[in-house]
Amino acid sequence: MKTNRFEKAILLIVIIMLFGTFGCEDFLQEDPRNFINPSDFYHTESDADAGLVGVYGALTNNFVNRGIHVLNHHQSEETWPWSLTAADVGYNYTPDYGFMNRVWPALYEGVKRANNFIGVLENKNVDFDEAVKNRMLGEAKFLRAFFYSTIVQFWGN
């Protein structure tokens, strides 16, 4: 009996499906090696310092830096480099206005990082000086307040 290409293709697909359904379970088991659980991380002062650097890292986001600059510039009657004034947009800084839809979440990313750091460090017994822990918590709380105050300054409550 002679088989054509179509029948061979169907047979090949059926064989692949059979092998695919029986041999996947061990293959799909994950063993993450590049993830550190936050509850296992902040034991030493250098661990906590690295976490705080991550909170400060939200300030280096280009949308945060540029957004704060542009919004401060935009509130005055000075012109932007592309010749828009605050009056041209009716002083309306909604989160979906222009590149503001990227500034808004970037600021809230800073709030999220600060909240994560504060939450983990406040509920953890650490292996370093309590004064250092309190200083780091104070810095994180200041950064969170800065992000929130910037959001309120431009978009209101």
Side-chain angles (χ1 to χ4, degrees), residues 117-118 121-122 133-142:
F117 180 80
I118 292 166
L121 206 58
E122 279 183 341
K133 175 184 172 181
N134 291 334
R135 178 187 53 82
M136 289 181 175
L137 284 171
E139 288 181 43
K141 288 178 181 180
F142 170 81

Side-chain angles (χ1 to χ4, degrees), residues 36-106:
I36 299 173
N37 190 347
S39 63
D40 297 334
F41 183 62
Y42 298 114
H43 289 294
T44 66
E45 185 177 340
S46 63
D47 290 346
D49 193 43
L52 187 60
V53 167
V55 178
Y56 275 103
L59 290 172
T60 64
N61 184 314
N62 187 39
F63 293 110
V64 171
N65 291 328
R66 197 166 149 230
I68 292 171
H69 171 74
V70 166
L71 285 170
N72 281 326
H73 217 56
H74 201 172
Q75 287 184 335
S76 70
E77 286 301 318
E78 297 178 40
T79 59
W80 287 13
W82 47 90
S83 299
L84 284 177
T85 64
D88 293 332
V89 293
Y91 299 95
N92 188 11
Y93 308 117
T94 60
D96 59 346
Y97 171 71
F99 86 108
M100 289 299 119
N101 61 357
R102 295 204 177 126
V103 174
W104 178 275

